[in-house]
Amino acid sequence: MAMVKVSPSVLTADFLTLSDSIKKLEDAGVDMLHLDVMDGIFVPNISFGNPVIKSIKAHTSLPLDVHLMIDRPHRYIEEFAKYADLLGFHYEAGSDNAELLKKIRELGCKSCITIKPATAAEEIFSLLPLCDMVLVMSVEPGFGGQKFMPQALDKIAAIKAECERQGLKIDIEVDGGINAETAPLAINAGANVLVAGNFLFSADDMGAKVKEIKSL
Ligand code: DX5
Ligand code: ZN
């Protein structure tokens, strides 16, 4: 079975003790950190920006998986590429998607395109050769702690099948409402990178929860 990677979202963490949480996540063997950047325009919430990401980068050797939920992301891509290892933005956010994916790779990051629940998988098929990862949202972007939308499963399966048809090896990440019940569904559909926020940060023993989903 393909190894599943876990990318914890720190959105619901206590930011004053974030370095402790990151240390616990490192010890638990997570594969990267998922950082949700929200601008209050593309999504109805504001989170954090590059100064926070810069500090996190200085504290950990885990790869940083930056999920931009910002309007017209091309305006800020060079800034975020300084600290991101994997840099993703939304298909729906109003940039030239192909250009932006190419630019992210030129800047030395892995590229990722992200789709909201209402966007059909087929819309990104022609962009797949420019992607190192695809992120399928399984909640409406903007907030942690929402319920998993099972409609994401067919989209994951369709993207996986299309990657195979095009002969591409691309990571498929799923984000929103992942827990011990929904993670196996996403994996069976073809996802190999799981974002998890609330499931980990609401647990008494975050390390045990990481191991639980990594062993699926
Ligand atoms: C939502 C974010 C997610 C979110 C995941 O817009 O992109 O990364 O924080 O949190 P949970 O796992 O709690 O749904
Ligand atoms: Zn996210």
Side-chain angles (χ1 to χ4, degrees):
M1 195 175 107
M3 267 294 277
V4 169
K5 297 181 209 166
V6 176
S7 187
S9 162
V10 303
L11 190 61
T12 48
D14 176 349
F15 281 83
L16 281 186
T17 55
L18 190 57
S19 57
D20 298 343
S21 302
I22 291 175
K23 178 83 181 59
K24 280 187 201 150
L25 293 168
E26 285 172 343
D27 291 347
V30 303
D31 300 275
M32 50 191 128
L33 288 179
H34 185 85
L35 303 176
D36 289 302
V37 177
M38 304 181 182
D39 67 353
I41 296 171
F42 182 71
V43 288
N45 195 10
I46 299 175
S47 58
F48 52 79
N50 226 23
V52 172
I53 297 177
K54 181 182 180 187
S55 300
I56 294 173
K57 184 72 184 172
H59 257 86
T60 183
S61 53
L62 287 171
L64 302 187
D65 164 24
V66 175
H67 175 193
L68 297 178
M69 285 162 273
I70 66 175
D71 184 52
R72 290 168 292 147
H74 59 275
R75 298 174 299 153
Y76 293 101
I77 221 70
E78 294 193 6
E79 199 47 38
F80 283 104
K82 287 182 190 162
Y83 310 111
D85 295 278
L86 229 156
L87 188 48
F89 64 93
H90 271 268
Y91 172 81
E92 309 86 355
S95 290
D96 179 327
N97 292 315
E99 280 308 307
L100 198 48
L101 288 165
K102 284 184 211 154
K103 176 95 181 179
I104 289 171
R105 282 182 167 175
E106 277 166 29
L107 290 166
C109 297
K110 287 190 174 166
S111 61
C112 173
I113 193 122
T114 304
I115 52 172
K116 297 211 279 186
T119 302
E122 293 69 25
E123 296 202 38
I124 60 162
F125 282 0
S126 65
L127 295 169
L128 291 175
L130 300 172
C131 298
D132 295 299
M133 184 165 85
V134 170
L135 169 51
V136 177
M137 292 303 300
S138 43
V139 296
E140 280 302 334
F143 300 91
Q146 303 182 74
K147 202 169 168 306
F148 182 82
M149 297 167 81
Q151 304 90 299
L153 297 172
D154 285 348
K155 284 159 66 168
I156 292 169
I159 290 165
K160 166 112 176 159
E162 180 64 16
C163 288
E164 277 164 16
R165 200 188 65 79
Q166 293 191 33
L168 299 166
K169 276 208 174 335
I170 296 176
D171 284 325
I172 303 180
E173 182 176 52
V174 58
D175 182 7
I178 291 294
N179 56 37
E181 286 75 48
T182 55
L185 305 176
I187 295 166
N188 284 341
N192 69 321
V193 185
L194 305 176
V195 176
N198 246 46
F199 175 65
L200 299 180
F201 281 90
S202 66
D204 292 331
D205 185 349
M206 202 156 61
K209 294 287 175 198
V210 170
K211 294 199 175 89
E212 191 178 341
I213 45 174
K214 269 201 86 98
S215 66
L216 290 169

